[in-house]
Amino acid sequence: MTIFNTLPNYQAAVAKFTESMANDADKATQNALYAEAMQTLGSDLTETLTNSNKETLEGMFASQHANKGMTATEIKFFNDIAKNVGTKNPLLLPEETVNEVFEDLVSEHPLLGAINFKNAGLRLKALVAETSGAAGWDNVFTDIKNQLDAVFTEEDFSQSKLTAFVVIPKDALQFGASWIKQFVIAQIGEAFAVALEAAVVNGDGNKKPIGLTRNLNNGTTSNGVTTFNPKTATLNLTTLNPQNAPTLLQPAMSTLSISEKGKSVAIGGSVIMLVNPSDYYALEAKFTALNVNGVYTFTLPFGIQVMQSVAVTAGTAVIFVAKRYDAYVGGGTEIKEFDQTLALDDLNLYTAKAYYFGKPKDNNVAVIATLVAQGA
C-alpha cells in the first residue's frame, strides 16, 4: 500500500474528479474538482505530518519511492526552496528529478506503464510513426523490392499543460533537502498520474490528451481546437463467462488486430481490458480457477490482461492495444510559488506545470464494452 491509499479524503476527491471527466462535465467543473483533489492531497499530507512523527512519514514515502540519492543540482534546488520561500519566479525542476517522477509514474501506475509512454525531455514536439510493409528475401546486390514505409507526423503538445498543486508545510522546511524532495515529487507524481490516467481514458482532446474512449472521427472544432466525442459501446459482455468468453471476445480481438486503414496489426500480449475497481473482482471471480499445483489463476482468453482504473465508468470495459497509444511528457516541469487565495499561513503552496500529449493511433486501438446491463 502506498502513502496515497491511506488518505481517504483524497481518494474520495479523486473519484469525484475522474467521474466528472467520464461524464463530460463542463471544463470549469472538471478544473474545480481537480483543484479540490490536489488541495485535499496537500491537506491530508499535512495532517499526516502533524499527527505522526517525521520518521513515520519518511517510512511511508520510502514505500512510494526508492531513495536514489541526490545530485549536487538537486541538493541546491531543494535547499533553495527551504531558504527562499518568498520567490515568485518560476524554476525548472532539475532534469534528474523530472526523470525520477516519470519513472515513478510508469512503474507505480499500471495503465501509464502499459501505454507507449515516453519522456521527450525539454522538447514540446514529438515524431509519431506508423510503420507498414515487410522485409523480403532476394539475391545479394539486387534492387530493394520490399521497403518498410513509415509515415511520420509531428505532434505538438504545448497546449496540453498540466498543473498540480504542491503543498509544503512550513514546519517541514527544517527537515532538509532530501526530505523536501521526497515530499515534493510524491505530490507531483501522484497529481500528474491522477490527471493523466483520467485523460488517457476519457480525455476529449481540448487542452488535454485524447482518451481511449473517444471517437477520432467524431468531434467538434472551435478556434482550431477539436473536442472529440465519446465512442459508443459496441460489445455486449453482460453474459460473459468462461464458456462463452472466446466467442464474445473474438469480435474485439478482430477489430484490434486491424488498423483503421485495413492493415494487419500484431497484438499478441498487448491487449488490456480496463475496468472500474467495482467490477474487477466480479470478473476475477468468474475467471479464477485452481490449477493442478493448487494455485488460483486468473486468466482471460487470447492473453488479455485485466487492469483496474477509477477513470473507467462502472459497468463498462475498455479493451485496447497498449502499444498503439502514443503518450509523451516534455518541456520540463516548472515549479513556482502560488501567491493567490489558496495560500495559507502555515503552508507554502506551489504550482508544478508540465506538458503532456496522448492519442490513440486510430479508432481501432480501443473497443468499448458493456459489462453490466443498465438497471441491473
Side-chain angles (χ1 to χ4, degrees):
M1 179 179 289
T2 68
I3 182 174
F4 305 107
N5 297 122
T6 68
L7 308 175
N9 295 329
Y10 167 65
Q11 292 297 332
V14 167
K16 288 172 61 179
F17 162 67
T18 54
E19 183 179 359
S20 74
M21 186 174 286
N23 293 333
D24 272 348
D26 60 80
K27 296 297 181 292
T29 299
Q30 291 183 28
N31 291 340
L33 289 174
Y34 179 67
E36 181 181 331
M38 294 307 100
Q39 292 176 61
T40 304
L41 172 60
S43 299
D44 281 2
L45 285 174
T46 302
E47 184 176 349
T48 301
L49 178 63
T50 302
N51 295 337
S52 62
N53 57 37
K54 174 191 172 188
E55 289 72 23
T56 300
L57 198 56
E58 281 182 336
M60 297 173 73
F61 278 128
S63 68
Q64 182 75 11
H65 300 277
N67 192 343
K68 302 175 183 179
M70 296 180 68
T71 65
T73 303
E74 289 181 305
I75 291 173
K76 181 180 185 304
F77 182 90
F78 289 102
N79 271 329
D80 285 346
I81 284 183
K83 296 174 183 176
N84 301 317
V85 174
T87 181
K88 300 295 187 294
N89 297 321
L91 299 171
L92 280 178
L93 277 175
E95 186 174 0
E96 49 269 51
T97 307
V98 174
N99 289 340
E100 188 170 336
V101 171
F102 176 79
E103 290 168 7
D104 288 339
L105 281 176
V106 298
S107 64
E108 296 174 6
H109 298 272
L111 174 59
L112 301 181
I115 61 176
N116 194 22
F117 199 16
K118 298 182 178 67
N119 188 346
L122 295 177
R123 292 175 296 160
L124 285 174
K125 292 186 178 181
L127 285 178
V128 179
E130 182 72 62
T131 59
S132 63
W137 294 98
D138 209 332
N139 295 326
V140 180
F141 304 125
T142 58
D143 293 337
I144 297 174
K145 294 183 178 179
N146 297 286
Q147 296 186 14
L148 291 173
D149 298 322
V151 178
F152 289 95
T153 56
E154 188 175 57
E155 300 286 359
D156 185 342
F157 45 107
S158 61
Q159 295 303 311
S160 298
K161 181 168 62 176
L162 181 58
T163 303
F165 290 113
V166 178
V167 175
I168 305 178
K170 287 184 171 66
D171 290 344
L173 296 175
Q174 62 183 304
F175 294 156
S178 179
W179 198 93
I180 293 173
K181 173 191 172 184
Q182 293 302 315
F183 202 83
V184 168
I185 68 173
Q187 291 185 75
I188 291 176
E190 175 66 10
F192 283 179
V194 166
L196 281 172
E197 187 163 316
V200 167
V201 176
N202 293 307
D204 61 13
N206 187 352
K207 297 184 179 179
K208 62 174 68 70
I210 304 170
L212 293 161
T213 62
R214 298 290 160 160
N215 188 338
L216 299 179
N217 298 326
N218 185 345
T220 303
T221 302
S222 176
N223 297 322
V225 177
T226 301
T227 301
F228 295 91
N229 296 317
K231 288 182 173 182
T232 56
T234 57
L235 194 66
N236 188 337
L237 300 180
T238 56
T239 61
L240 186 70
N241 60 49
Q243 289 71 42
N244 64 22
T247 300
L248 292 184
L249 290 169
Q250 176 271 322
M253 299 299 289
S254 295
T255 297
L256 299 177
S257 64
I258 302 175
S259 75
E260 200 170 14
K261 295 181 179 179
K263 296 178 181 178
S264 296
V265 179
I267 62 173
S270 299
V271 178
I272 293 172
M273 178 186 287
L274 203 60
V275 300
N276 188 278
S278 64
D279 297 315
Y280 177 83
Y281 292 101
L283 187 66
E284 182 174 9
K286 286 183 181 180
F287 289 88
T288 296
L290 193 65
N291 65 20
V292 294
N293 297 318
V295 178
Y296 284 106
T297 58
F298 173 29
T299 56
L300 288 181
F302 311 117
I304 297 174
Q305 305 172 58
V306 181
M307 289 184 183
Q308 302 179 53
S309 174
V310 295
V312 177
T313 303
T316 66
V318 181
I319 306 173
F320 70 100
V321 185
K323 64 183 180 182
R324 299 198 69 230
Y325 186 96
D326 292 311
Y328 295 86
V329 55
T333 299
E334 179 186 280
I335 188 166
K336 178 183 179 181
E337 185 181 359
F338 189 78
D339 57 354
Q340 298 179 35
T341 56
L342 294 178
L344 302 174
D345 290 341
D346 57 346
L347 302 174
N348 294 319
L349 187 61
Y350 297 84
T351 57
K353 298 181 181 180
Y355 297 87
Y356 289 85
F357 166 80
K359 181 183 179 182
K361 288 187 180 294
D362 59 43
N363 264 340
N364 285 7
V365 169
V367 172
I368 313 302
T370 302
L371 281 180
V372 179
Q374 289 188 349

